[in-house]
Amino acid sequence: MQPPGRPPLPPHGYHHQTSLQYFPPNTGGFPVRPNRPQMAQIPQIRPVPSPYGIEVPPGAAPSGPIGRTRHLVNEDAIERARSISGARSSLDISDTASIKGYTRSTGEYDYLPARIQDDNASIRSGRSSIYTTSNSNGQRFGGMISPDDRPGRSVGNRISLYNSMVYSEILDPTPTFDPGLSKLGGLQFMPFEPRELPFENLDPLNPSMSLSNFADIAALLRYRGQTTPKKTAFIVLDQKGREVHEWTWEKLHLKAEKMAQVISKDSGLMKGERVALIYRKAEILDFLVALYGCFFAGVVAVPINAVEEFRELKFILEATEARLALTTEHNHKVFTRDLLAQKKELPTNVIWWKTNEYGAINLKKGDELGPINVTELAYIEYTKSPNGELKGVAISHQTIMAQCNVMRGSVTDKKMREYLDKQRNQGYQRQSNGGDERNNEVSGKIVDTVLSYLEPRQQFGLILGALWGVYCGNTTIYLGSLGPDVPGLWVNCISKYKATIALADYPGLNPIVSSFISDPSATLNFLKKQTPDLSSLRFLFVDTLTIDVQKNQEIIEQFLVPLGAQFPKDVLTPLSSLPEHGGMVLSFGDLLGVQGLDDRVEGERGVKVFLLDREELKENRVVVVGTEEGSKKKDWEQGVMKVGAFGFVMPETTIAVVDPETTALCLPNTIGEIWVDSPSLSGGFWNLPKHTESIFHARPIFVPGDTKQPEYFDQEFLRTGLLGSLINGQLVIFGLYEHRIRQLIEPKQDEEEKDKYRFHYTLDLENTVKKMIEGVHDCVVIEIYIKDQSLPVMIAESTLPIEKLTALADEIFEKLVMYHGLRLYTISICAQGSLPRVWKNGKKLTNSITCKKYFEYGRLQVLHVKTCVLDTVFNIPIGEDMVAGIWGPNAMAARQEMSNGLRRTQYTRMDIPQEVLDEKTSINLLKFRSIVDVLLWRTQMSPEETAYNILDTKGKEGKPISWKKLNNRIATVANYLQKKGCKAGDHTVLIFPHGIDFVCSIFACMVLGIIAIPISQTEPTKASEDIPALFGLIEDFKVNYLLVNTDTEQVLKSRQIQNFIKTMSGGSKQLDSNNSKALPLLINIAKAPKYTRTLKESNYVMMEEWLQPQWATVVMCYFSADQRRSCVRLNHDTLLALCKVQKETCRLTSIRAILSCVRHFNGIGFVYTVLIGIYLGSQTILISPLDYHANPLMWFETLSKFKIKDTYATFPMLQHAMSYYDSVDYRNFSLQNLKNLMIPVDCRPNANLYKKMVKTFLANRLEEVNVNYIYSHIANPMITTRSYMCVEPFELYLDLKSLRRGIIKVVDPEDEPFGVLLHDSGMVPVSTQVAIVHPETRRPCLSNEFGEIWVSSDSNAKSSYGSMDPLDQERYSAIIDGGDPRITYLRTGDLGFLYTVQKPVGEGGALVEFQCLFFLGPIAETFEVNGLIHFPVDIEFTVERCHQLSHCNLIATDGCVVFQANGETVCIVEVRSSEGILNLVPCIMNSILDEHQFIIDVIVFIGPGTLPKSRLGEKQRTKIMTSWLSGNLSTLHVHYVKPSPSNSRPNSYLLPPFMMHSQQLITTNPSPSPTLDPSRYSITTGFINTTRSNINPSVMPSDMMNNELSLSNSNRGSLNINNRTNSQELTRQNTNSYKVNNANTGTVNM
């Protein structure tokens, strides 16, 4: 069915893609929807109860009209709806949302910038459960009625402002409700039926005219301008009370008509299009001209007042599609200048008009104005919600007229009505002179004079000023925002103009009242010729959220009474409005009352004050224990809360009290969210259909007493977000939803209810603090939601000196516990005036929502922080075994119970090659017994082929070194060593830069039987680390000589090194006899004399003894970031096995060259520098790390030039290249031939760094599948690898909660934001098997568990070197309990798990199964809290990113270390500046609690550059922990989160930056200094495990010659790194003698 004259509908309605849309004349120019038949399943319509709780007898019809019932178009539409059985009707609009403006969502709608759309932000909180019909899965149909079919002024039938249609999307006929709601059946507090206006509002200037005769406010303005042209309409006063403008009704009317004429003729706008209004508050009259001009012209006004940034203005213009902006010349000039300074431009599609140039319309005698054809939509009011969201509320003319009508009726008393009725009956004659009738009886009493300093361009100030003034014919006086700050000005303005109504708020009244109380003469003598007199005041409207009872009493007794106000209790009238929803007046103490509920006489109608039981309020119940009469004691002394009631809700308004969480109607005497329905309400938000549906058209849940089945109440309401209740029908508001604090109460053991909450209200708490505690200037209480728990936080401003802030915080905490039973989670005390504030009516007021954002983002200027976590955080998870942790039997049993389905042990199978053939000769390389034999064979077979090629600094090839020449150079070094007296069995340390000298020295030691110990070249800038490490090797292994070249010799003999050695004199126990240190003999192989023979010619042969497994060919030394040394023994079999694994796994051949650049002294670098080229018979290319550092491009060009297929690189090496290429064109080389770039990692792979690297080199044709991790260990450089898997790394997101219990649970990152991202470390190579084993029971872990990584491979080092500990043999030859005793494993000490992934590979997409290893972290670095395991890297990542929303540069990169010591978990944070670090305390604490679910014990801040790191940028955890325990850590601030209960809590504060000293220790919540008990830590690991007895470093075996991982039965099989540092005394001595230089200086460490 279509309206008359409507064009035919398209087959499927109006699509949003359609360019042409139909605009019916009655809709004001915005699109409409087609008709929609209603579903057959119409919800049962339940009558609204009669007024104020009077029950209607069964079967009786309700006394008033039913709330918004659905009117159907005709019976045919109903029948069509009933006949639908799955087929799509042409009237189904489930995907035809063509409504452009403010439309109801149909699942798909037009939307503008995504940043403003916040559909997840419901009316108040994520905890709210809002039913949104637009998300219904069922088909949606509805009916439309034409304007003629609308009921008249039907109560509760608020016309939807979507498109002038009343329609609804039928709810799901079988909705799912919480079964627990059935207990509410028959007990709910039903919505109140609205009050009717018992009389008709008459025009006070012409009582014969009824105001209901006018359809819109524009018609009323024309009426005023024509009937009372010379009466004063608006007066504007400046900040000193002087009249700036005085306009009559005629002047305003003619100017508005002129504005409308210009818009209609010159703008080219169609009816219903939007026009922006941009005016300052001082330009209010220009604003009124523009506003009413838009009304007359039939366009929609968009006042823009709430914007603070240009982007917000631009958003409003785009959202409303405004093509015309009205402003003044001054505004336009200033605006253009400011944008020019910011290098921005005004939107080009918007025309800017300066309206102060147009003047007024000139009407000649006999001229008549044209008809007024307004749109239904009057204006769109954009306001900011408390959380900063910018939303536009669409206000119709009907809404304006309804609001003004009920407001006029509410302030009209009986005498006024009788007078107007009498004048109407007698025939009122308007005075002919039309002059100023301010003193006339009618004008003075019936026509109000309204004085306002509130914001006149929006919300409450706009309604009662610009709109209500026209409706009632009032004289409206605008006073500047700063007027109340001038003593006596406001009072004298009321006296001068005989104001009958004043609009105010508490912040504005405070200076007015306080100035009069403190200095009455300033008010009384403000004007000599005028005595202040408030007797004319009928209403002093105070726009407020809640009523301040004490302030009201002060205003009445000390202000209104002395100044002569008649009936002062009646005059002071707090008023509740809805600023976020168009400014509708919700309630105030009107003059209508309700018979039986409000029988107070004139003079006693003031605010009704109730005394409520505080304990009952905590349970969300309202129990009135008395009224204000007879209550003289302070409310907090009686355990009661004193509240004031606004009064009854406005006429024609239906009110309901609804549970905001369940959206069910509340029980009687319960606090809930206030929902209202009224014709005075807007229809919704502009262009936010989903918000509109869930906020403006919400339906509460009703449970009938007979069926006990929940259903939706058949009336739509607006969710105000206000929490309150009705007491004797009067509205009591406690605040917004955000102002309610929920605190979880720790359940007792005998209580069945787990989650029991107590409720508090922030305004009540804040009043207690402000009134009872001196030194608090202002404060706010907020609620933060962490780990499924609401935690209260107090943020206060104080003027007290810093040394008194600790006592102040303690007093705040104790007072709130004593009087409210509220335990604060955190107290932050800030400098006075530093809290974020928002402008409101010319005053900057604290805003709790903004303060909460600043608190969470760390933007407050905090001077002191107090944390109180012990009694506020209760739901901390604990493990099954608090003593043994996750490795104990109880935890194991729990994991078994939690697992479902078949679980298998975690093993990989081992692929053992039977032969490894040389490509050139087909000889099986497995027959060789040593790499020296392979070298001799290569020399014999291909003496002149190139073995090594060394590139110079420019990447050019040097003279190739053939196999024969290499053989000769090795023989030359061996001969030289023999002459120096070197013999088999000697230990020597090789210190060489990357190059051929190192290679020759290694083989020379092999052919002589010398045990080679290669280490990195000594750096002068790292002498404090390198020299002690070198002397440790010399002393432990009895080294008598060092092998060096010329460069190394110069470094070791340099003055810097020698001076450092002198400082070490006396620091070694081994040299106590001579009390001095000196380097042993330096043998410079560059000084070897010329020697022409080869090895064979020199009769250098490998002795049988040297080939035995017990012989150490090479001792590999590994130094951790803390310079903890670990040494392993490699024999000739192991060296050959390393080569075999590389060749077979990576498919290496002699055709392609091998490239080596960094880390030649151990790991994969040693294999590629020394071994693999000789094993393959291929050319090995050497590039110096120094040359790479100077020009990384040469390394990539070498890869491209030689078409190298396989190579290795480190993450630091690639990071240097990426930073280098930021300013260099690097696309001139191609990496398409590189198929396997191996990146060795001995920690958890960095997924973010990997992605960044792949993205960087993608332009150089380096494919993602060719960049591969290899899991490297000190005992095996390649345990697993991703080489030639031909798939990108597998990403797993693990559930942190399960991970802490030892369980692997893969989650979706969208469902679990705190999931841990892991990249796989690849699959096992040949001759290698990996098993995941329980580290204590030594039995295989089952699937979905993690455990210790055990490796069986002939590439494993056979043992550590120098250790006499018998447990060491077990670590390198461990046997799985119940497994094959012939298979021995290496215990890596690392935690991980095996996970099988299936993925299509290749062009055909064949599904391939990959069994990959995922690395979690070393056991030695983990710690346990409450029986749950934690990986420090995860916590540190949380801390390092917790500040990203605010101080994005405050925490240094990789600037956090977490460890456990003395039973306390300590978080060390390096900050770039001391400014703002106290803001980080709650940020860090909350982030750890939220993500990792435990409370950190100590938070320590240190200065920039003071976090010790290695030359590779790795955190030196042991050094950090040792410094902390010894008290040598230079700190900026130390915060003890959980202080000792007996602690006296001395002062805590943060000094200004200029008073900071590097050694100054500032504590918050201090506890006693930690007792240094070395037996409780593992100093070598940097971490403590409270569930294990760690080895005391002081009782290490005296004959332990090196530092390695050792296994102890005393700690139940867990691994502990017990690495011997050179001397604890030396470490302490050197701690302050040097600073670690974290930057690379001069040399490259990669």
Side-chain angles (χ1 to χ4, degrees), residues 60 91 119 128 146 276 296 354 674 817 866 872 882 893 987 1098 1123 1164 1252 1278 1356 1364 1423 1432 1460 1498:
L91 296 178
D119 285 338
S128 300
S146 67
F296 284 126
K354 305 162 190 176
I674 303 300
V817 172
K866 176 182 176 66
T872 54
M882 295 287 288
H987 292 79
S1098 303
Q1123 289 300 103
I1164 196 72
K1252 179 181 178 182
M1278 192 169 77
N1356 291 343
M1364 305 300 294
F1423 59 86
Q1460 202 173 59
V1498 186

Side-chain angles (χ1 to χ4, degrees), residues 395-455:
I395 307 294
S396 70
H397 283 284
Q398 182 180 355
T399 298
I400 295 173
M401 298 302 286
Q403 175 77 281
C404 293
N405 180 58
V406 296
M407 190 66 196
R408 174 61 185 173
S410 299
V411 300
T412 305
D413 60 15
K414 184 177 181 181
K415 293 181 181 179
M416 290 184 183
R417 294 197 300 269
E418 291 176 351
Y419 173 81
L420 291 175
D421 290 338
K422 182 179 179 181
Q423 291 291 319
R424 182 181 188 181
N425 295 333
Q426 294 178 356
Y428 177 75
Q429 298 295 328
R430 180 168 50 88
Q431 296 185 19
S432 59
N433 57 13
D436 189 349
E437 300 172 289
R438 196 176 296 158
N439 297 322
N440 182 274
E441 179 185 7
V442 175
S443 300
K445 295 184 179 180
I446 304 302
V447 178
D448 288 305
T449 300
V450 180
L451 176 67
S452 173
Y453 62 81
L454 302 181
E455 171 58 63

Side-chain angles (χ1 to χ4, degrees), residues 213-351:
N213 295 337
F214 297 92
D216 54 76
I217 198 70
L220 255 171
L221 177 60
R222 177 176 289 185
Y223 166 76
R224 299 286 178 212
Q226 292 175 345
T227 58
T228 57
K230 302 305 180 183
K231 288 187 64 65
T232 301
F234 293 95
I235 300 175
V236 178
L237 307 180
D238 63 10
Q239 309 293 356
K240 296 183 179 180
R242 294 172 298 195
E243 287 192 12
V244 180
H245 300 285
E246 180 179 354
W247 282 16
T248 62
W249 291 114
E250 182 183 47
K251 187 173 183 179
L252 175 61
H253 168 236
L254 296 180
K255 280 182 170 287
E257 294 281 8
K258 178 65 175 180
M259 177 63 65
Q261 186 183 77
V262 175
I263 293 175
S264 301
K265 291 183 178 180
D266 301 338
S267 67
L269 297 178
M270 296 178 61
K271 183 178 178 180
E273 293 199 66
R274 274 70 61 193
V275 176
L277 276 57
I278 306 175
Y279 294 89
R280 294 175 296 152
K281 185 177 179 181
E283 300 165 339
I284 179 59
L285 297 184
D286 294 307
F287 171 81
L288 295 181
V289 170
L291 179 68
Y292 282 99
C294 291
F295 293 168
F296 284 126
V299 293
V300 179
V302 184
I304 301 179
N305 312 306
V307 297
E308 298 175 2
E309 300 177 9
F310 175 70
R311 62 181 181 87
E312 295 176 343
L313 170 65
K314 188 176 180 181
F315 161 72
I316 295 177
L317 294 176
E318 292 176 350
T320 58
E321 296 182 343
R323 295 192 292 127
L324 176 63
L326 305 181
T327 186
T328 61
E329 182 177 4
H330 176 271
N331 275 353
H332 187 267
K333 184 183 299 183
V334 173
F335 197 51
T336 305
R337 183 186 61 200
D338 292 344
L339 288 181
L340 186 63
Q342 300 176 22
K343 298 182 180 180
K344 297 178 181 178
E345 296 181 355
L346 292 172
T348 57
N349 60 334
V350 179
I351 302 173

